[in-house]
PDB file of all heavy atoms in Angstrom:
ATOM      1  N   VAL A   1     -15.149  -5.974  -7.846  1.00 92.00           N
ATOM      2  CA  VAL A   1     -15.310  -4.547  -8.154  1.00 92.00           C
ATOM      3  C   VAL A   1     -16.220  -4.376  -9.358  1.00 92.00           C
ATOM      4  O   VAL A   1     -17.114  -3.513  -9.379  1.00 92.00           O
ATOM      5  CB  VAL A   1     -13.938  -3.887  -8.408  1.00 92.00           C
ATOM      6  CG1 VAL A   1     -14.103  -2.432  -8.843  1.00 92.00           C
ATOM      7  CG2 VAL A   1     -13.065  -3.968  -7.154  1.00 92.00           C
ATOM      8  N   ALA A   2     -16.011  -5.206 -10.381  1.00 91.00           N
ATOM      9  CA  ALA A   2     -16.852  -5.149 -11.580  1.00 91.00           C
ATOM     10  C   ALA A   2     -18.307  -5.458 -11.240  1.00 91.00           C
ATOM     11  O   ALA A   2     -19.229  -4.825 -11.759  1.00 91.00           O
ATOM     12  CB  ALA A   2     -16.334  -6.116 -12.636  1.00 91.00           C
ATOM     13  N   ASP A   3     -18.513  -6.419 -10.342  1.00 92.00           N
ATOM     14  CA  ASP A   3     -19.872  -6.795  -9.957  1.00 92.00           C
ATOM     15  C   ASP A   3     -20.579  -5.629  -9.265  1.00 92.00           C
ATOM     16  O   ASP A   3     -21.735  -5.307  -9.585  1.00 92.00           O
ATOM     17  CB  ASP A   3     -19.816  -8.010  -9.035  1.00 92.00           C
ATOM     18  CG  ASP A   3     -21.170  -8.675  -8.864  1.00 92.00           C
ATOM     19  OD1 ASP A   3     -22.013  -8.549  -9.773  1.00 92.00           O
ATOM     20  OD2 ASP A   3     -21.397  -9.302  -7.824  1.00 92.00           O
ATOM     21  N   ARG A   4     -19.891  -4.967  -8.332  1.00 94.00           N
ATOM     22  CA  ARG A   4     -20.502  -3.827  -7.634  1.00 94.00           C
ATOM     23  C   ARG A   4     -20.741  -2.665  -8.594  1.00 94.00           C
ATOM     24  O   ARG A   4     -21.783  -2.003  -8.533  1.00 94.00           O
ATOM     25  CB  ARG A   4     -19.606  -3.371  -6.473  1.00 94.00           C
ATOM     26  CG  ARG A   4     -19.561  -4.357  -5.309  1.00 94.00           C
ATOM     27  CD  ARG A   4     -18.971  -3.703  -4.067  1.00 94.00           C
ATOM     28  NE  ARG A   4     -17.608  -3.250  -4.284  1.00 94.00           N
ATOM     29  CZ  ARG A   4     -16.530  -3.996  -4.079  1.00 94.00           C
ATOM     30  NH1 ARG A   4     -16.654  -5.256  -3.668  1.00 94.00           N
ATOM     31  NH2 ARG A   4     -15.327  -3.512  -4.284  1.00 94.00           N
ATOM     32  N   ALA A   5     -19.781  -2.419  -9.480  1.00 93.00           N
ATOM     33  CA  ALA A   5     -19.934  -1.323 -10.439  1.00 93.00           C
ATOM     34  C   ALA A   5     -21.092  -1.606 -11.394  1.00 93.00           C
ATOM     35  O   ALA A   5     -21.885  -0.706 -11.716  1.00 93.00           O
ATOM     36  CB  ALA A   5     -18.634  -1.120 -11.217  1.00 93.00           C
ATOM     37  N   GLY A   6     -21.205  -2.854 -11.839  1.00 90.00           N
ATOM     38  CA  GLY A   6     -22.307  -3.219 -12.709  1.00 90.00           C
ATOM     39  C   GLY A   6     -23.653  -3.088 -12.025  1.00 90.00           C
ATOM     40  O   GLY A   6     -24.634  -2.645 -12.634  1.00 90.00           O
ATOM     41  N   ASP A   7     -23.702  -3.451 -10.730  1.00 93.00           N
ATOM     42  CA  ASP A   7     -24.941  -3.284  -9.969  1.00 93.00           C
ATOM     43  C   ASP A   7     -25.327  -1.811  -9.873  1.00 93.00           C
ATOM     44  O   ASP A   7     -26.515  -1.460  -9.973  1.00 93.00           O
ATOM     45  CB  ASP A   7     -24.791  -3.866  -8.567  1.00 93.00           C
ATOM     46  CG  ASP A   7     -24.787  -5.388  -8.560  1.00 93.00           C
ATOM     47  OD1 ASP A   7     -25.176  -5.985  -9.586  1.00 93.00           O
ATOM     48  OD2 ASP A   7     -24.386  -5.968  -7.538  1.00 93.00           O
ATOM     49  N   ALA A   8     -24.326  -0.946  -9.689  1.00 94.00           N
ATOM     50  CA  ALA A   8     -24.594   0.497  -9.615  1.00 94.00           C
ATOM     51  C   ALA A   8     -25.141   1.014 -10.939  1.00 94.00           C
ATOM     52  O   ALA A   8     -26.069   1.837 -10.978  1.00 94.00           O
ATOM     53  CB  ALA A   8     -23.333   1.258  -9.227  1.00 94.00           C
ATOM     54  N   PHE A   9     -24.584   0.519 -12.038  1.00 91.00           N
ATOM     55  CA  PHE A   9     -25.091   0.919 -13.353  1.00 91.00           C
ATOM     56  C   PHE A   9     -26.524   0.451 -13.547  1.00 91.00           C
ATOM     57  O   PHE A   9     -27.387   1.208 -14.014  1.00 91.00           O
ATOM     58  CB  PHE A   9     -24.201   0.355 -14.457  1.00 91.00           C
ATOM     59  CG  PHE A   9     -24.696   0.675 -15.849  1.00 91.00           C
ATOM     60  CD1 PHE A   9     -24.403   1.885 -16.434  1.00 91.00           C
ATOM     61  CD2 PHE A   9     -25.475  -0.235 -16.551  1.00 91.00           C
ATOM     62  CE1 PHE A   9     -24.867   2.191 -17.714  1.00 91.00           C
ATOM     63  CE2 PHE A   9     -25.944   0.060 -17.818  1.00 91.00           C
ATOM     64  CZ  PHE A   9     -25.634   1.273 -18.399  1.00 91.00           C
ATOM     65  N   SER A  10     -26.802  -0.805 -13.193  1.00 92.00           N
ATOM     66  CA  SER A  10     -28.154  -1.342 -13.347  1.00 92.00           C
ATOM     67  C   SER A  10     -29.153  -0.560 -12.508  1.00 92.00           C
ATOM     68  O   SER A  10     -30.258  -0.240 -12.978  1.00 92.00           O
ATOM     69  CB  SER A  10     -28.187  -2.824 -12.948  1.00 92.00           C
ATOM     70  OG  SER A  10     -27.413  -3.600 -13.833  1.00 92.00           O
ATOM     71  N   ALA A  11     -28.775  -0.242 -11.258  1.00 93.00           N
ATOM     72  CA  ALA A  11     -29.667   0.520 -10.383  1.00 93.00           C
ATOM     73  C   ALA A  11     -29.940   1.898 -10.965  1.00 93.00           C
ATOM     74  O   ALA A  11     -31.083   2.383 -10.959  1.00 93.00           O
ATOM     75  CB  ALA A  11     -29.063   0.629  -8.983  1.00 93.00           C
ATOM     76  N   GLY A  12     -28.884   2.543 -11.476  1.00 92.00           N
ATOM     77  CA  GLY A  12     -29.064   3.864 -12.080  1.00 92.00           C
ATOM     78  C   GLY A  12     -29.928   3.816 -13.325  1.00 92.00           C
ATOM     79  O   GLY A  12     -30.769   4.695 -13.549  1.00 92.00           O
ATOM     80  N   ALA A  13     -29.733   2.783 -14.139  1.00 90.00           N
ATOM     81  CA  ALA A  13     -30.530   2.640 -15.373  1.00 90.00           C
ATOM     82  C   ALA A  13     -31.999   2.365 -15.044  1.00 90.00           C
ATOM     83  O   ALA A  13     -32.898   2.909 -15.699  1.00 90.00           O
ATOM     84  CB  ALA A  13     -29.952   1.521 -16.234  1.00 90.00           C
ATOM     85  N   LEU A  14     -32.252   1.537 -14.031  1.00 91.00           N
ATOM     86  CA  LEU A  14     -33.629   1.257 -13.633  1.00 91.00           C
ATOM     87  C   LEU A  14     -34.307   2.509 -13.084  1.00 91.00           C
ATOM     88  O   LEU A  14     -35.482   2.784 -13.375  1.00 91.00           O
ATOM     89  CB  LEU A  14     -33.658   0.143 -12.590  1.00 91.00           C
ATOM     90  CG  LEU A  14     -33.409  -1.276 -13.119  1.00 91.00           C
ATOM     91  CD1 LEU A  14     -33.280  -2.256 -11.955  1.00 91.00           C
ATOM     92  CD2 LEU A  14     -34.522  -1.705 -14.063  1.00 91.00           C
ATOM     93  N   ALA A  15     -33.552   3.271 -12.284  1.00 92.00           N
ATOM     94  CA  ALA A  15     -34.112   4.513 -11.739  1.00 92.00           C
ATOM     95  C   ALA A  15     -34.423   5.494 -12.865  1.00 92.00           C
ATOM     96  O   ALA A  15     -35.464   6.167 -12.854  1.00 92.00           O
ATOM     97  CB  ALA A  15     -33.136   5.131 -10.739  1.00 92.00           C
ATOM     98  N   LEU A  16     -33.532   5.574 -13.846  1.00 89.00           N
ATOM     99  CA  LEU A  16     -33.755   6.465 -14.978  1.00 89.00           C
ATOM    100  C   LEU A  16     -34.982   6.030 -15.774  1.00 89.00           C
ATOM    101  O   LEU A  16     -35.803   6.866 -16.178  1.00 89.00           O
ATOM    102  CB  LEU A  16     -32.517   6.476 -15.876  1.00 89.00           C
ATOM    103  CG  LEU A  16     -32.583   7.368 -17.123  1.00 89.00           C
ATOM    104  CD1 LEU A  16     -32.725   8.829 -16.730  1.00 89.00           C
ATOM    105  CD2 LEU A  16     -31.350   7.162 -17.993  1.00 89.00           C
ATOM    106  N   ALA A  17     -35.125   4.727 -15.994  1.00 86.00           N
ATOM    107  CA  ALA A  17     -36.289   4.218 -16.725  1.00 86.00           C
ATOM    108  C   ALA A  17     -37.571   4.536 -15.970  1.00 86.00           C
ATOM    109  O   ALA A  17     -38.593   4.887 -16.575  1.00 86.00           O
ATOM    110  CB  ALA A  17     -36.152   2.712 -16.936  1.00 86.00           C
ATOM    111  N   GLY A  18     -37.531   4.427 -14.638  1.00 89.00           N
ATOM    112  CA  GLY A  18     -38.707   4.758 -13.844  1.00 89.00           C
ATOM    113  C   GLY A  18     -39.079   6.226 -13.955  1.00 89.00           C
ATOM    114  O   GLY A  18     -40.263   6.575 -14.088  1.00 89.00           O
ATOM    115  N   GLU A  19     -38.064   7.101 -13.935  1.00 90.00           N
ATOM    116  CA  GLU A  19     -38.332   8.536 -14.103  1.00 90.00           C
ATOM    117  C   GLU A  19     -38.903   8.822 -15.481  1.00 90.00           C
ATOM    118  O   GLU A  19     -39.811   9.648 -15.636  1.00 90.00           O
ATOM    119  CB  GLU A  19     -37.047   9.338 -13.908  1.00 90.00           C
ATOM    120  CG  GLU A  19     -36.537   9.414 -12.487  1.00 90.00           C
ATOM    121  CD  GLU A  19     -35.322  10.325 -12.398  1.00 90.00           C
ATOM    122  OE1 GLU A  19     -35.311  11.386 -13.042  1.00 90.00           O
ATOM    123  OE2 GLU A  19     -34.368   9.948 -11.693  1.00 90.00           O
ATOM    124  N   ALA A  20     -38.375   8.150 -16.492  1.00 85.00           N
ATOM    125  CA  ALA A  20     -38.789   8.425 -17.867  1.00 85.00           C
ATOM    126  C   ALA A  20     -40.216   7.970 -18.137  1.00 85.00           C
ATOM    127  O   ALA A  20     -40.835   8.429 -19.101  1.00 85.00           O
ATOM    128  CB  ALA A  20     -37.832   7.749 -18.848  1.00 85.00           C
ATOM    129  N   ARG A  21     -40.751   7.096 -17.307  1.00 84.00           N
ATOM    130  CA  ARG A  21     -42.124   6.632 -17.506  1.00 84.00           C
ATOM    131  C   ARG A  21     -43.153   7.592 -16.923  1.00 84.00           C
ATOM    132  O   ARG A  21     -44.351   7.334 -16.997  1.00 84.00           O
ATOM    133  CB  ARG A  21     -42.296   5.235 -16.906  1.00 84.00           C
ATOM    134  CG  ARG A  21     -41.572   4.153 -17.703  1.00 84.00           C
ATOM    135  CD  ARG A  21     -41.935   2.763 -17.214  1.00 84.00           C
ATOM    136  NE  ARG A  21     -41.313   1.757 -18.056  1.00 84.00           N
ATOM    137  CZ  ARG A  21     -40.136   1.191 -17.800  1.00 84.00           C
ATOM    138  NH1 ARG A  21     -39.470   1.543 -16.710  1.00 84.00           N
ATOM    139  NH2 ARG A  21     -39.638   0.289 -18.618  1.00 84.00           N
ATOM    140  N   LYS A  22     -42.676   8.669 -16.332  1.00 87.00           N
ATOM    141  CA  LYS A  22     -43.568   9.711 -15.803  1.00 87.00           C
ATOM    142  C   LYS A  22     -43.300  11.003 -16.563  1.00 87.00           C
ATOM    143  O   LYS A  22     -42.172  11.249 -17.008  1.00 87.00           O
ATOM    144  CB  LYS A  22     -43.324   9.918 -14.312  1.00 87.00           C
ATOM    145  CG  LYS A  22     -43.571   8.673 -13.464  1.00 87.00           C
ATOM    146  CD  LYS A  22     -43.260   8.924 -12.005  1.00 87.00           C
ATOM    147  CE  LYS A  22     -41.765   9.071 -11.777  1.00 87.00           C
ATOM    148  NZ  LYS A  22     -41.436   9.160 -10.332  1.00 87.00           N
ATOM    149  N   THR A  23     -44.311  11.824 -16.733  1.00 89.00           N
ATOM    150  CA  THR A  23     -44.105  13.091 -17.423  1.00 89.00           C
ATOM    151  C   THR A  23     -43.195  13.985 -16.606  1.00 89.00           C
ATOM    152  O   THR A  23     -43.235  13.990 -15.378  1.00 89.00           O
ATOM    153  CB  THR A  23     -45.450  13.804 -17.656  1.00 89.00           C
ATOM    154  OG1 THR A  23     -46.107  13.995 -16.407  1.00 89.00           O
ATOM    155  CG2 THR A  23     -46.336  12.993 -18.593  1.00 89.00           C
ATOM    156  N   GLY A  24     -42.343  14.732 -17.326  1.00 91.00           N
ATOM    157  CA  GLY A  24     -41.409  15.635 -16.665  1.00 91.00           C
ATOM    158  C   GLY A  24     -39.981  15.354 -17.080  1.00 91.00           C
ATOM    159  O   GLY A  24     -39.697  14.514 -17.936  1.00 91.00           O
ATOM    160  N   ALA A  25     -39.072  16.082 -16.462  1.00 94.00           N
ATOM    161  CA  ALA A  25     -37.651  15.970 -16.802  1.00 94.00           C
ATOM    162  C   ALA A  25     -37.000  14.805 -16.061  1.00 94.00           C
ATOM    163  O   ALA A  25     -37.436  14.418 -14.975  1.00 94.00           O
ATOM    164  CB  ALA A  25     -36.930  17.274 -16.467  1.00 94.00           C
ATOM    165  N   TRP A  26     -35.950  14.260 -16.663  1.00 92.00           N
ATOM    166  CA  TRP A  26     -35.185  13.192 -16.037  1.00 92.00           C
ATOM    167  C   TRP A  26     -33.724  13.311 -16.465  1.00 92.00           C
ATOM    168  O   TRP A  26     -33.392  13.924 -17.487  1.00 92.00           O
ATOM    169  CB  TRP A  26     -35.724  11.810 -16.411  1.00 92.00           C
ATOM    170  CG  TRP A  26     -36.176  11.658 -17.835  1.00 92.00           C
ATOM    171  CD1 TRP A  26     -37.442  11.806 -18.318  1.00 92.00           C
ATOM    172  CD2 TRP A  26     -35.352  11.332 -18.972  1.00 92.00           C
ATOM    173  NE1 TRP A  26     -37.470  11.596 -19.672  1.00 92.00           N
ATOM    174  CE2 TRP A  26     -36.213  11.288 -20.098  1.00 92.00           C
ATOM    175  CE3 TRP A  26     -34.002  11.061 -19.140  1.00 92.00           C
ATOM    176  CZ2 TRP A  26     -35.736  11.004 -21.380  1.00 92.00           C
ATOM    177  CZ3 TRP A  26     -33.518  10.776 -20.412  1.00 92.00           C
ATOM    178  CH2 TRP A  26     -34.386  10.744 -21.510  1.00 92.00           C
ATOM    179  N   SER A  27     -32.840  12.771 -15.644  1.00 93.00           N
ATOM    180  CA  SER A  27     -31.413  12.837 -15.950  1.00 93.00           C
ATOM    181  C   SER A  27     -30.661  11.791 -15.129  1.00 93.00           C
ATOM    182  O   SER A  27     -31.170  11.281 -14.133  1.00 93.00           O
ATOM    183  CB  SER A  27     -30.840  14.233 -15.651  1.00 93.00           C
ATOM    184  OG  SER A  27     -30.906  14.507 -14.263  1.00 93.00           O
ATOM    185  N   ALA A  28     -29.458  11.476 -15.566  1.00 92.00           N
ATOM    186  CA  ALA A  28     -28.626  10.513 -14.849  1.00 92.00           C
ATOM    187  C   ALA A  28     -27.174  10.700 -15.284  1.00 92.00           C
ATOM    188  O   ALA A  28     -26.890  11.188 -16.386  1.00 92.00           O
ATOM    189  CB  ALA A  28     -29.079   9.079 -15.110  1.00 92.00           C
ATOM    190  N   VAL A  29     -26.274  10.296 -14.397  1.00 94.00           N
ATOM    191  CA  VAL A  29     -24.841  10.297 -14.688  1.00 94.00           C
ATOM    192  C   VAL A  29     -24.319   8.876 -14.461  1.00 94.00           C
ATOM    193  O   VAL A  29     -24.615   8.256 -13.428  1.00 94.00           O
ATOM    194  CB  VAL A  29     -24.065  11.279 -13.791  1.00 94.00           C
ATOM    195  CG1 VAL A  29     -22.566  11.216 -14.099  1.00 94.00           C
ATOM    196  CG2 VAL A  29     -24.569  12.702 -13.978  1.00 94.00           C
ATOM    197  N   PHE A  30     -23.573   8.360 -15.406  1.00 93.00           N
ATOM    198  CA  PHE A  30     -22.942   7.054 -15.284  1.00 93.00           C
ATOM    199  C   PHE A  30     -21.442   7.233 -15.494  1.00 93.00           C
ATOM    200  O   PHE A  30     -21.021   7.999 -16.372  1.00 93.00           O
ATOM    201  CB  PHE A  30     -23.486   6.071 -16.315  1.00 93.00           C
ATOM    202  CG  PHE A  30     -24.970   5.859 -16.227  1.00 93.00           C
ATOM    203  CD1 PHE A  30     -25.825   6.524 -17.095  1.00 93.00           C
ATOM    204  CD2 PHE A  30     -25.505   5.020 -15.273  1.00 93.00           C
ATOM    205  CE1 PHE A  30     -27.190   6.334 -17.020  1.00 93.00           C
ATOM    206  CE2 PHE A  30     -26.877   4.817 -15.186  1.00 93.00           C
ATOM    207  CZ  PHE A  30     -27.725   5.482 -16.057  1.00 93.00           C
ATOM    208  N   ASP A  31     -20.641   6.515 -14.690  1.00 93.00           N
ATOM    209  CA  ASP A  31     -19.200   6.631 -14.917  1.00 93.00           C
ATOM    210  C   ASP A  31     -18.682   5.423 -15.687  1.00 93.00           C
ATOM    211  O   ASP A  31     -19.361   4.403 -15.845  1.00 93.00           O
ATOM    212  CB  ASP A  31     -18.427   6.872 -13.607  1.00 93.00           C
ATOM    213  CG  ASP A  31     -18.440   5.688 -12.660  1.00 93.00           C
ATOM    214  OD1 ASP A  31     -18.348   4.538 -13.126  1.00 93.00           O
ATOM    215  OD2 ASP A  31     -18.529   5.913 -11.438  1.00 93.00           O
ATOM    216  N   GLN A  32     -17.479   5.566 -16.162  1.00 93.00           N
ATOM    217  CA  GLN A  32     -16.872   4.555 -17.036  1.00 93.00           C
ATOM    218  C   GLN A  32     -16.773   3.197 -16.355  1.00 93.00           C
ATOM    219  O   GLN A  32     -17.031   2.159 -16.965  1.00 93.00           O
ATOM    220  CB  GLN A  32     -15.493   5.060 -17.449  1.00 93.00           C
ATOM    221  CG  GLN A  32     -14.697   4.160 -18.364  1.00 93.00           C
ATOM    222  CD  GLN A  32     -13.415   4.835 -18.803  1.00 93.00           C
ATOM    223  OE1 GLN A  32     -13.425   5.800 -19.558  1.00 93.00           O
ATOM    224  NE2 GLN A  32     -12.295   4.349 -18.299  1.00 93.00           N
ATOM    225  N   ASP A  33     -16.403   3.179 -15.074  1.00 94.00           N
ATOM    226  CA  ASP A  33     -16.273   1.912 -14.359  1.00 94.00           C
ATOM    227  C   ASP A  33     -17.618   1.215 -14.219  1.00 94.00           C
ATOM    228  O   ASP A  33     -17.694  -0.024 -14.296  1.00 94.00           O
ATOM    229  CB  ASP A  33     -15.656   2.144 -12.973  1.00 94.00           C
ATOM    230  CG  ASP A  33     -14.165   2.453 -13.041  1.00 94.00           C
ATOM    231  OD1 ASP A  33     -13.560   2.189 -14.096  1.00 94.00           O
ATOM    232  OD2 ASP A  33     -13.620   2.945 -12.043  1.00 94.00           O
ATOM    233  N   GLN A  34     -18.691   1.977 -13.985  1.00 93.00           N
ATOM    234  CA  GLN A  34     -20.015   1.371 -13.895  1.00 93.00           C
ATOM    235  C   GLN A  34     -20.397   0.693 -15.214  1.00 93.00           C
ATOM    236  O   GLN A  34     -20.914  -0.434 -15.222  1.00 93.00           O
ATOM    237  CB  GLN A  34     -21.050   2.430 -13.534  1.00 93.00           C
ATOM    238  CG  GLN A  34     -20.944   2.957 -12.123  1.00 93.00           C
ATOM    239  CD  GLN A  34     -21.906   4.108 -11.867  1.00 93.00           C
ATOM    240  OE1 GLN A  34     -22.425   4.712 -12.811  1.00 93.00           O
ATOM    241  NE2 GLN A  34     -22.133   4.427 -10.604  1.00 93.00           N
ATOM    242  N   ILE A  35     -20.139   1.380 -16.313  1.00 91.00           N
ATOM    243  CA  ILE A  35     -20.474   0.812 -17.623  1.00 91.00           C
ATOM    244  C   ILE A  35     -19.643  -0.436 -17.893  1.00 91.00           C
ATOM    245  O   ILE A  35     -20.173  -1.480 -18.304  1.00 91.00           O
ATOM    246  CB  ILE A  35     -20.263   1.860 -18.725  1.00 91.00           C
ATOM    247  CG1 ILE A  35     -21.209   3.045 -18.514  1.00 91.00           C
ATOM    248  CG2 ILE A  35     -20.470   1.241 -20.106  1.00 91.00           C
ATOM    249  CD1 ILE A  35     -20.933   4.230 -19.416  1.00 91.00           C
ATOM    250  N   ASN A  36     -18.333  -0.371 -17.618  1.00 91.00           N
ATOM    251  CA  ASN A  36     -17.479  -1.531 -17.865  1.00 91.00           C
ATOM    252  C   ASN A  36     -17.794  -2.686 -16.923  1.00 91.00           C
ATOM    253  O   ASN A  36     -17.676  -3.855 -17.302  1.00 91.00           O
ATOM    254  CB  ASN A  36     -16.005  -1.133 -17.765  1.00 91.00           C
ATOM    255  CG  ASN A  36     -15.514  -0.438 -19.018  1.00 91.00           C
ATOM    256  OD1 ASN A  36     -15.972  -0.733 -20.123  1.00 91.00           O
ATOM    257  ND2 ASN A  36     -14.593   0.499 -18.867  1.00 91.00           N
ATOM    258  N   GLY A  37     -18.203  -2.357 -15.684  1.00 92.00           N
ATOM    259  CA  GLY A  37     -18.616  -3.416 -14.769  1.00 92.00           C
ATOM    260  C   GLY A  37     -19.849  -4.142 -15.279  1.00 92.00           C
ATOM    261  O   GLY A  37     -19.937  -5.370 -15.215  1.00 92.00           O
ATOM    262  N   TRP A  38     -20.802  -3.379 -15.811  1.00 91.00           N
ATOM    263  CA  TRP A  38     -22.004  -3.997 -16.366  1.00 91.00           C
ATOM    264  C   TRP A  38     -21.662  -4.842 -17.589  1.00 91.00           C
ATOM    265  O   TRP A  38     -22.188  -5.951 -17.759  1.00 91.00           O
ATOM    266  CB  TRP A  38     -23.014  -2.911 -16.742  1.00 91.00           C
ATOM    267  CG  TRP A  38     -24.335  -3.461 -17.162  1.00 91.00           C
ATOM    268  CD1 TRP A  38     -25.386  -3.799 -16.361  1.00 91.00           C
ATOM    269  CD2 TRP A  38     -24.752  -3.755 -18.511  1.00 91.00           C
ATOM    270  NE1 TRP A  38     -26.435  -4.282 -17.117  1.00 91.00           N
ATOM    271  CE2 TRP A  38     -26.075  -4.263 -18.433  1.00 91.00           C
ATOM    272  CE3 TRP A  38     -24.142  -3.629 -19.749  1.00 91.00           C
ATOM    273  CZ2 TRP A  38     -26.781  -4.644 -19.561  1.00 91.00           C
ATOM    274  CZ3 TRP A  38     -24.848  -4.027 -20.879  1.00 91.00           C
ATOM    275  CH2 TRP A  38     -26.156  -4.516 -20.774  1.00 91.00           C
ATOM    276  N   LEU A  39     -20.778  -4.343 -18.440  1.00 89.00           N
ATOM    277  CA  LEU A  39     -20.374  -5.098 -19.621  1.00 89.00           C
ATOM    278  C   LEU A  39     -19.654  -6.384 -19.236  1.00 89.00           C
ATOM    279  O   LEU A  39     -19.803  -7.424 -19.889  1.00 89.00           O
ATOM    280  CB  LEU A  39     -19.461  -4.243 -20.509  1.00 89.00           C
ATOM    281  CG  LEU A  39     -20.107  -3.039 -21.198  1.00 89.00           C
ATOM    282  CD1 LEU A  39     -19.046  -2.185 -21.879  1.00 89.00           C
ATOM    283  CD2 LEU A  39     -21.168  -3.474 -22.206  1.00 89.00           C
ATOM    284  N   ALA A  40     -18.852  -6.321 -18.165  1.00 90.00           N
ATOM    285  CA  ALA A  40     -18.057  -7.476 -17.756  1.00 90.00           C
ATOM    286  C   ALA A  40     -18.900  -8.563 -17.110  1.00 90.00           C
ATOM    287  O   ALA A  40     -18.614  -9.762 -17.271  1.00 90.00           O
ATOM    288  CB  ALA A  40     -16.957  -7.038 -16.783  1.00 90.00           C
ATOM    289  N   VAL A  41     -19.942  -8.186 -16.362  1.00 90.00           N
ATOM    290  CA  VAL A  41     -20.695  -9.160 -15.580  1.00 90.00           C
ATOM    291  C   VAL A  41     -22.119  -9.345 -16.104  1.00 90.00           C
ATOM    292  O   VAL A  41     -22.500 -10.421 -16.572  1.00 90.00           O
ATOM    293  CB  VAL A  41     -20.730  -8.758 -14.091  1.00 90.00           C
ATOM    294  CG1 VAL A  41     -21.532  -9.788 -13.284  1.00 90.00           C
ATOM    295  CG2 VAL A  41     -19.316  -8.641 -13.539  1.00 90.00           C
ATOM    296  N   ASP A  42     -22.924  -8.286 -16.041  1.00 89.00           N
ATOM    297  CA  ASP A  42     -24.347  -8.414 -16.370  1.00 89.00           C
ATOM    298  C   ASP A  42     -24.577  -8.769 -17.833  1.00 89.00           C
ATOM    299  O   ASP A  42     -25.428  -9.611 -18.146  1.00 89.00           O
ATOM    300  CB  ASP A  42     -25.081  -7.110 -16.027  1.00 89.00           C
ATOM    301  CG  ASP A  42     -25.164  -6.879 -14.532  1.00 89.00           C
ATOM    302  OD1 ASP A  42     -24.103  -6.724 -13.902  1.00 89.00           O
ATOM    303  OD2 ASP A  42     -26.279  -6.856 -13.999  1.00 89.00           O
ATOM    304  N   LEU A  43     -23.857  -8.110 -18.734  1.00 86.00           N
ATOM    305  CA  LEU A  43     -24.052  -8.401 -20.157  1.00 86.00           C
ATOM    306  C   LEU A  43     -23.705  -9.856 -20.449  1.00 86.00           C
ATOM    307  O   LEU A  43     -24.463 -10.558 -21.130  1.00 86.00           O
ATOM    308  CB  LEU A  43     -23.198  -7.473 -21.010  1.00 86.00           C
ATOM    309  CG  LEU A  43     -23.268  -7.712 -22.516  1.00 86.00           C
ATOM    310  CD1 LEU A  43     -24.671  -7.448 -23.047  1.00 86.00           C
ATOM    311  CD2 LEU A  43     -22.260  -6.842 -23.261  1.00 86.00           C
TER     312      LEU A  43
END
């Protein structure tokens, strides 16, 4: 579960970074489990 949640966080963060590299507005929502999954596995 942590692995899947961490993957979701990474995908969302990469998508946000891609949006931020273009002019215009950007936004994202991350949930607590996604953040903790990333901390548990990816970090």
Side-chain angles (χ1 to χ4, degrees):
V1 175
D3 194 26
R4 290 195 299 271
D7 287 345
F9 177 83
S10 295
L14 285 172
L16 180 63
E19 288 185 41
R21 289 189 176 93
K22 300 178 289 187
T23 57
W26 39 266
S27 65
V29 178
F30 301 100
D31 68 39
Q32 180 174 291
D33 286 344
Q34 290 174 343
I35 297 171
N36 281 328
W38 187 86
L39 292 172
V41 180
D42 291 63
L43 178 64

